[in-house]
Amino acid sequence: MELKSVDWLIMLLYFAFVLGIGFALKRYMKTSKDFFQAGRALPAWICGLAFISANLGAQEVLGMGASGAKYGLETAHFYGIGAIPAMIFVGIFMMPFYYGSKARSVPEFLRLRFDEKTRAFNACTFAVMTVFSSGISMYAMARLIQILHVFDSIFLSHGWPLQGIFTVSIVISAIIVLVYIFLGGLTSAIYNEVLQFAIIVAGFFPLVFLGLRNVGGWQGLKASLPDAYMHAWHGLGHASTNPMGVDAIGMGMGLGFVLGAGYWCTDFLVIQRAMATPDMDSARRVPLIAAIPKMFFPFLVIVPGLIAISLPTPHTTETVTRGADGAIIHNIQVVAPQIEQGKGIVPAKMNPVTGKPMLTASGRPLLDYDMATPNMLLHYFPTGLLGLGLTALLASFMSGMAGNVTAFNTVFTYDIYQSYINKRASDHHYLVIGRWATVVGILLSIGTAYGAIAFNNIMDTLQLVFSFVNAPLFATFLLGMFWKRTTGHGAFAGLIAGTSAAMLHHGLTLPIEATPGIHGGWLAVIHHYPSDMAQNFWGAIFAFSANFIVTILVSLVTKPKPDSELVGLVHSLTPKPETGPIIWWKRPETLAVGILVVFVALSIFFA
């Protein structure tokens, strides 16, 4: 692979725009509200695109392609039952509570509904989660730069080991994100996310078109893959009949109800975008606007993974020809061992730090599914188009990093620093702290980027983190919003129990092909799961259930808040939000119905 001048120009122009937005917005960052909340003045459609783009980080674009190659079309459930119903629910039912309470963050909402200790626990766990998520995006960007061999010549000329490129790439990506968030805060992140959304669509649409045309269209793709790979719903009757190793209960409850709803309804990373709008109606429309393109993104990010695993696996070949003078000529086309040991154009995984092959528990080569989408770009895109496609990948990584960092600096400043360290400082002081929290978040993310090395699918890594944080938190939100008897003591005890249950489950279970450690089994192995994802789904179910039960039991023996303090925080005590003078087709309820109709139609088509 060789990048031409036009490819480099496209990527350099993108980075110039990204940094330029940060510098252009710096002069508008005069207060902490400007920096952390974008002044609550951005239009719904801008925030709607940012809402989905904040989720279009490495875990989405790279991870979904990796999951498509590893698990097949079943991955589309992350968009179907794992996203669309929850996005509708948060827009129609939950956004009035978030926006109406005037809370600056999700942990602050928990303080209003419950108490300080519940807020503190969530603020700390959420901060850890954002650091891990940002680190995953850094890892993905560093891996991409490695396979592009961008710095090979510099390292070789100085006699430096090529493995150092991984660390250098992480540092470079960290600096770029740090600069534009440090300068422009949330507003800079949101406008960059809109830019990144457009680039991702422009970069991946031709990839799907060229890939499908090459394999003979949709029917050709189906003919080249096992039948189980090409159905979203078939095979869910039993864990052994589908590539993901998940049955209907694990999929519906683990992904659809707990992880999916837990992410979209409670993760401040995306909620923060909706709360940057000027009024309630706009805030409610944000997740609904985002749900429209979300339904069609499986075509852009999952199908490339399916195509990558369906292609013939390259092997070293030798051809013998006879020259004009009668001499026999041997032509050998050498293929690297990690490519030969892979499947399709998904290579075997090499440790990016040590350069050594990585093996499964049974000694077989571990496939590097994260390279499915990047290798598709290198396989199909010509000069110019390759630059656009690689820019789309880089944009997704930057989007994921920036979204998590802006959420981290807001929660740290408002819910940790202002609440427990310095309660009475000036607004300018909190603005300064927010900027330095950005630096701290970036530095911590660099450390967590190395933890992602142990996984061959970053979506597995991310869902593991979500099962520890979002899954138990969703139980707290459901009970808190729909059962006024829920108490602060109950919520806090439930979060402790849910997180502990997730840790215990992870420590006692292990995927079949994994070794004890970061994949689980670090206490003992009493159960094996068919895959990392199956383990994540069931871990989320255990975490949610433990939280739900403990919260109810503790709430029944502790004193609840009086009704007067719960108005606007509990569904039964909150007046129905009044919709302003909006055209009927712009009303949140109308949008929700239309989205549901399209969602059902797509689910039937890909059954």
Side-chain angles (χ1 to χ4, degrees):
M1 186 279 302
E2 183 179 354
L3 293 175
K4 302 298 184 182
S5 298
V6 66
D7 299 313
W8 287 112
L9 179 61
I10 292 172
M11 288 189 282
L12 289 174
L13 283 174
Y14 165 71
F15 285 117
F17 271 104
V18 164
L19 295 174
I21 289 173
F23 280 101
L25 292 173
K26 182 179 183 297
R27 59 194 176 112
Y28 297 106
M29 300 298 108
K30 298 178 180 179
T31 67
S32 63
K33 184 177 181 180
D34 296 329
F35 188 80
F36 295 117
Q37 299 175 280
R40 282 200 167 186
L42 299 181
W45 72 271
I46 289 285
C47 293
L49 293 180
F51 190 95
I52 185 175
S53 187
N55 182 248
L56 278 177
Q59 63 268 28
E60 182 92 354
V61 175
L62 201 69
M64 286 300 180
S67 293
K70 186 175 183 179
Y71 301 124
L73 200 58
E74 201 174 355
T75 305
H77 287 307
F78 282 94
Y79 293 84
I81 62 175
I84 303 304
M87 295 170 80
I88 293 173
F89 183 79
V90 72
I92 298 298
F93 294 104
M94 296 189 73
M95 196 52 65
F97 295 103
Y98 285 132
Y99 199 91
S101 68
K102 302 300 181 183
R104 298 168 297 181
S105 67
V106 168
E108 187 170 69
F109 176 84
L110 290 175
R111 178 187 66 80
L112 296 172
R113 174 59 184 90
F114 298 114
D115 54 26
E116 278 289 350
K117 62 180 179 296
T118 306
R119 170 211 206 157
F121 184 86
N122 178 243
C124 292
T125 56
F126 178 78
V128 171
M129 184 181 74
T130 56
V131 166
F132 270 96
S133 298
S134 179
I136 290 171
S137 292
M138 286 185 180
Y139 160 81
M141 179 173 283
R143 292 287 287 118
L144 179 64
I145 292 175
Q146 267 192 321
I147 67 169
L148 292 178
H149 306 290
V150 174
F151 300 129
D152 283 21
S153 59
I154 298 176
F155 272 66
L156 290 172
S157 64
H158 288 82
W160 299 336
L162 293 178
Q163 289 75 25
I165 294 175
F166 182 76
T167 298
V168 170
S169 302
I170 284 179
V171 173
I172 291 175
S173 64
I175 291 173
I176 293 172
V177 172
L178 173 62
V179 169
Y180 81 77
I181 297 300
F182 191 89
L183 295 173
L186 178 62
T187 308
S188 179
I190 287 177
Y191 278 111
N192 268 307
E193 284 160 0
V194 174
L195 169 65
Q196 289 153 352
F197 175 85
I199 291 174
I200 290 168
V201 173
F204 279 82
F205 181 79
L207 177 65
V208 175
F209 175 78
L210 292 174
L212 283 177
R213 189 179 68 173
N214 179 256
V215 298
W218 190 254
Q219 294 302 319
L221 182 61
K222 290 178 68 175
S224 60
L225 286 171
D227 186 63
Y229 265 73
M230 295 304 294
H231 293 285
W233 293 96
H234 292 182
L236 287 180
H238 194 275
S240 63
T241 57
N242 61 83
M244 197 176 287
V246 182
D247 59 16
I249 296 176
M251 182 66 72
M253 182 71 178
L255 174 61
F257 183 68
V258 179
L259 282 174
Y263 174 81
W264 293 104
C265 295
T266 68
D267 196 317
F268 183 56
L269 167 65
V270 289
I271 298 299
Q272 187 181 30
R273 272 75 190 148
M275 294 174 71
T277 53
D279 55 67
M280 175 79 77
D281 289 333
S282 297
R284 295 179 72 201
R285 289 201 303 273
V286 166
L288 301 175
I289 292 171
I292 297 172
K294 183 74 174 179
M295 287 187 289
F296 299 97
F297 256 85
F299 296 101
L300 294 181
V301 296
I302 295 176
V303 171
L306 292 171
I307 297 172
I309 206 72
S310 72
L311 294 173
T313 305
H315 292 283
T316 297
T317 57
E318 180 181 1
T319 58
V320 180
T321 58
R322 188 175 294 275
D325 58 355
I328 297 176
I329 303 173
H330 294 267
N331 297 307
I332 302 177
Q333 185 176 1
V334 179
V335 174
Q338 62 264 37
I339 296 177
E340 283 193 301
Q341 295 171 2
K343 185 177 181 181
I345 58 173
V346 177
K349 183 159 187 173
M350 309 291 288
N351 188 304
V353 176
T354 66
K356 295 180 179 179
M358 299 180 68
L359 306 176
T360 66
S362 59
R364 291 182 297 180
L366 186 72
L367 293 183
D368 195 355
Y369 291 106
D370 288 334
M371 289 299 102
T373 298
N375 283 347
M376 281 286 290
L377 293 173
L378 301 177
H379 187 75
Y380 283 111
F381 274 5
T383 298
L385 205 53
L386 177 59
L388 179 62
L390 293 175
T391 302
L393 273 182
L394 294 174
S396 75
F397 305 155
M398 304 284 281
S399 175
M401 291 167 60
N404 282 286
V405 170
T406 54
F408 173 85
N409 64 28
T410 303
V411 168
F412 176 83
T413 304
Y414 284 149
D415 297 295
I416 297 176
Y417 183 83
Q418 186 181 32
S419 299
Y420 305 108
I421 300 175
N422 191 343
K423 296 183 177 182
R424 295 178 176 84
S426 66
D427 184 78
H428 177 73
H429 177 78
Y430 293 129
L431 175 60
V432 173
I433 292 299
R435 285 199 162 112
W436 284 109
T438 304
V439 178
V440 173
I442 289 288
L443 292 176
L444 293 174
S445 299
I446 291 175
T448 61
Y450 289 89
I453 294 173
F455 290 81
N456 66 346
N457 178 359
I458 59 175
M459 185 55 71
D460 290 338
T461 320
L462 196 71
Q463 294 305 317
L464 172 62
V465 176
F466 287 167
S467 70
F468 277 70
V469 180
N470 286 348
L473 180 61
F474 186 50
T476 301
F477 267 88
L478 280 183
L479 288 170
M481 287 187 171
F482 295 100
W483 187 41
K484 66 179 183 179
R485 186 69 179 76
T486 312
T487 67
H489 295 305
F492 181 73
L495 285 173
I496 296 292
T499 305
S500 300
M503 293 179 64
L504 187 62
H505 174 269
H506 187 254
L508 295 174
T509 63
L510 190 69
I512 290 174
E513 289 293 340
T515 55
I518 196 170
H519 288 266
W522 39 271
L523 291 175
V525 180
I526 63 173
H527 180 73
H528 279 96
Y529 283 101
S531 68
D532 287 276
M533 200 64 76
Q535 182 192 38
N536 295 337
F537 288 173
W538 281 102
I541 292 173
F542 279 104
F544 176 90
S545 302
N547 185 328
F548 197 85
I549 293 169
V550 171
T551 301
I552 290 176
L553 293 177
V554 176
S555 294
L556 289 174
V557 296
T558 52
K559 184 180 178 180
K561 284 186 174 183
D563 288 0
S564 59
E565 295 182 19
L566 298 177
V567 176
L569 301 172
V570 176
H571 186 267
S572 61
L573 300 175
T574 302
K576 184 179 179 181
E578 295 183 4
T579 302
I582 305 176
I583 302 173
W584 67 271
W585 55 270
K586 285 187 177 181
R587 292 178 179 271
E589 293 79 7
T590 306
L591 284 173
V593 171
I595 292 166
L596 275 176
V597 170
V598 177
F599 165 62
V600 171
L602 289 173
S603 298
I604 294 173
F605 180 80
F606 288 106

